[in-house]
Amino acid sequence: SVQRTLAAPRVSTVTAPALAVCAALLGPPRLAGGPLAGASLVAGPEAAAARGQSSYASGSKVNKDPISLLQLALPLEETLGEKKVERLRTAQRLVEEVRLWDKAYGEVNDAGEVLKQSKKALLELVPGPKRTAAEGYMTALDGELINLKRLVVKGQDTERATVKDKEVADAATAQFLKCQDLIGKVEESLVPVGYSAPLPKWMPKNLPRLDGRATIEMTLKRPEGSQEKKYDIDNTIYEEAKLRIVLDGWSMPITAGNFVDLVDKGYYTNGPLQRADGFIIQFGDSGDANGNGYKENGKVRTIPLEVALKGQKEALYSETLDEAGRIGEQVRIPFQVDGTLALARAEFENDSASAQIFMFLFESDMTPAGKNLLDGRYASFGYTIEGGEFLRQLKERDIIVSAKIVDGLDRLVRPVPA
């Protein structure tokens, strides 16, 4: 059973160490029903905290925004060098700090100036086939930043706690998301054409890999005859919970490739959640008869532990950060967001993972800030970017009605049969 075989951190087995998982990780991903999960600019710094800041740091300013974290994980420093992309990263940070309402005008102004001054140099870094599109993104971003600045001024001129104030703040929030999306498109255009993360020579040849990113849509519902309430979001009842998940193969090519391959094979469809305890949501256990994983040619396909590190093209394999003597180094897909996706494994066997997946949840009062002991010990490879409001309502035995790849299947590289 999951309890006997598994792999994802369990309160009963990891106790104090596993519960010291970074108190600052809390903060819901983008909700399906609105742009910012109820954290509009009108509320000031407290609202911004719900979406996070633009650094990886632990503590009060930990980044809880899955979109921002995915942008920061793009392999720009690794392929172009930190210095060449520094100003673009600065612009990203400034735009994200617009969510701190009292600082918004200055930050959006500074972001525009940084981009204006560095536009030519940045476009020179963009590979030829993507340069025209990148120039279009930057031109559009110039205009959207001006629109954002106007909304910020308008919002700061209104009275607090009025309907008008809320309407302006909501409009500014939506405008911020447009700017964030365009910055992400500019950043992604800098990734070299055809880039794939290098793999060690010893990597088994029977493993699929993902070269780039893929998006998965997952739909769940209560099992037949369940006495559990339907999903209730702001007093609206939903028969199904819908999640949208982005997987990062540039950081975690083998782990992400394994999951995309299994989703495409229908491995998870109609399967139950085998754990949903407020800390971890887990699925993918095929049962004892099947080795609790995915069998291929009569054997369970196992995946080596993979840990992507910031500033390093090739991930760390088969070792935790502790074992490799690299404690404190920054992982590229940190456990900082509700719905962080990771590959479960046996607690003392690094390379024992197969098909069991866990989605990380977090309660801030369970752990002290800055003590995330999951990073570098489990292979995190993506984030839930929509549908996060459903995560804490999922229950053990809920059924995965469907799991499908809506983008990125063409980036999956499967081994060629002998």
Side-chain angles (χ1 to χ4, degrees):
S1 72
V2 174
Q3 304 225 355
R4 284 185 280 118
T5 61
L6 170 157
R10 181 167 286 280
V11 174
S12 61
T13 58
V14 197
T15 56
L19 289 180
V21 219
C22 212
L25 300 185
L26 226 177
R30 187 177 313 215
L31 300 188
L36 264 196
S40 65
L41 291 164
V42 67
E46 293 77 17
R51 283 273 290 178
Q53 303 301 308
S54 62
S55 81
Y56 281 111
S58 298
S60 61
K61 292 187 178 181
V62 68
N63 189 343
K64 307 176 189 77
D65 180 351
I67 302 301
S68 169
L69 288 170
L70 285 165
Q71 290 174 355
L72 289 170
L74 288 167
L76 303 186
E77 289 80 1
E78 293 78 10
T79 58
L80 300 172
E82 187 174 346
K83 197 71 178 172
K84 289 184 177 179
V85 298
E86 184 177 26
R87 293 183 72 79
L88 183 56
R89 294 302 201 188
T90 297
Q92 178 188 342
R93 176 181 57 78
L94 289 169
V95 167
E96 290 173 359
E97 287 182 354
V98 169
R99 291 170 296 190
L100 299 174
W101 189 241
D102 294 335
K103 297 173 61 178
Y105 184 86
E107 302 295 32
V108 73
N109 209 45
D110 290 349
E113 283 300 311
V114 168
L115 288 168
K116 181 179 178 181
Q117 293 170 13
S118 56
K119 183 174 181 178
K120 182 179 178 182
L122 286 172
L123 287 173
E124 288 176 355
L125 296 175
V126 178
K130 299 196 282 185
R131 193 164 296 163
T132 299
E135 191 164 8
Y137 298 144
M138 294 195 77
T139 299
L141 182 57
D142 289 340
E144 298 297 356
L145 285 171
I146 291 171
N147 291 336
L148 179 56
K149 187 158 56 174
R150 288 172 181 157
L151 284 167
V152 167
V153 171
K154 188 176 181 181
Q156 290 176 340
D157 287 343
T158 60
E159 292 184 25
R160 291 295 174 115
T162 66
V163 172
K164 183 180 179 183
D165 187 34
K166 183 182 185 307
E167 288 174 352
V168 173
D170 287 347
T173 296
Q175 186 63 29
F176 155 74
L177 292 176
K178 287 184 183 179
C179 294
Q180 184 185 42
D181 179 63
L182 284 166
I183 286 227
K185 287 178 177 176
V186 172
E187 289 175 330
E188 191 160 339
S189 70
L190 268 66
V191 178
V193 175
Y195 175 76
S196 60
L199 299 173
K201 291 181 180 179
W202 57 260
M203 184 64 64
K205 304 302 182 187
N206 68 318
L207 301 180
R209 75 174 191 269
L210 181 66
D211 289 340
R213 288 181 171 171
T215 303
I216 306 293
E217 286 185 354
M218 188 175 288
T219 302
L220 302 98
K221 69 176 184 180
R222 302 292 190 218
E224 201 69 38
S226 172
Q227 299 302 306
E228 293 283 355
K229 294 189 302 183
K230 304 296 184 184
Y231 308 106
D232 183 348
I233 309 298
D234 295 330
N235 295 318
T236 299
I237 303 301
Y238 294 85
E239 292 288 328
E240 296 178 328
K242 294 182 182 293
L243 310 178
R244 191 174 180 91
I245 301 162
V246 172
L247 313 173
D248 187 6
W250 279 320
S251 298
M252 304 284 284
I254 298 300
T255 309
N258 176 65
F259 184 60
V260 172
D261 179 55
L262 294 179
V263 168
D264 189 50
K265 285 178 163 70
Y267 177 85
Y268 300 102
T269 300
N270 295 322
L273 298 185
Q274 287 135 345
R275 180 179 170 189
D277 56 12
F279 180 59
I280 294 294
I281 296 165
Q282 190 167 336
F283 55 92
D285 185 349
S286 61
D288 292 347
N290 292 304
N292 304 98
Y294 171 66
K295 272 193 172 179
E296 192 173 54
N297 300 321
K299 293 179 61 179
V300 174
R301 183 170 80 189
T302 56
I303 307 298
L305 176 62
E306 186 173 44
V307 179
L309 299 175
K310 193 68 181 168
Q312 183 173 308
K313 287 184 181 180
E314 185 177 304
L316 178 67
Y317 288 97
S318 297
E319 291 183 297
T320 66
L321 284 186
D322 295 24
E323 292 165 347
R326 303 179 72 166
I327 298 173
E329 292 195 34
Q330 178 60 56
V331 300
R332 282 165 64 181
I333 306 292
F335 286 91
Q336 290 182 194
V337 177
D338 268 6
T340 301
L341 210 70
L343 191 57
R345 63 175 177 82
E347 188 176 356
F348 301 110
E349 297 177 52
N350 292 349
D351 296 345
S352 60
S354 179
Q356 293 190 52
I357 302 296
F358 71 93
M359 302 177 77
F360 173 72
L361 301 176
F362 187 76
E363 290 292 348
S364 59
D365 59 358
M366 289 174 64
T367 63
K371 300 295 183 181
N372 178 5
L373 298 184
L374 294 186
D375 285 346
R377 294 186 178 186
Y378 290 87
S380 48
F381 62 101
Y383 293 118
T384 302
I385 64 165
E386 292 179 12
E389 68 271 37
F390 291 108
L391 291 173
R392 293 175 186 277
Q393 296 194 35
L394 295 175
K395 303 294 183 183
E396 192 169 314
R397 297 181 60 245
D398 280 4
I399 302 297
I400 300 171
V401 178
S402 72
K404 59 184 179 181
I405 303 152
V406 295
D407 180 62
L409 183 59
D410 58 324
R411 300 175 198 120
L412 177 65
V413 180
R414 288 187 168 111
V416 178

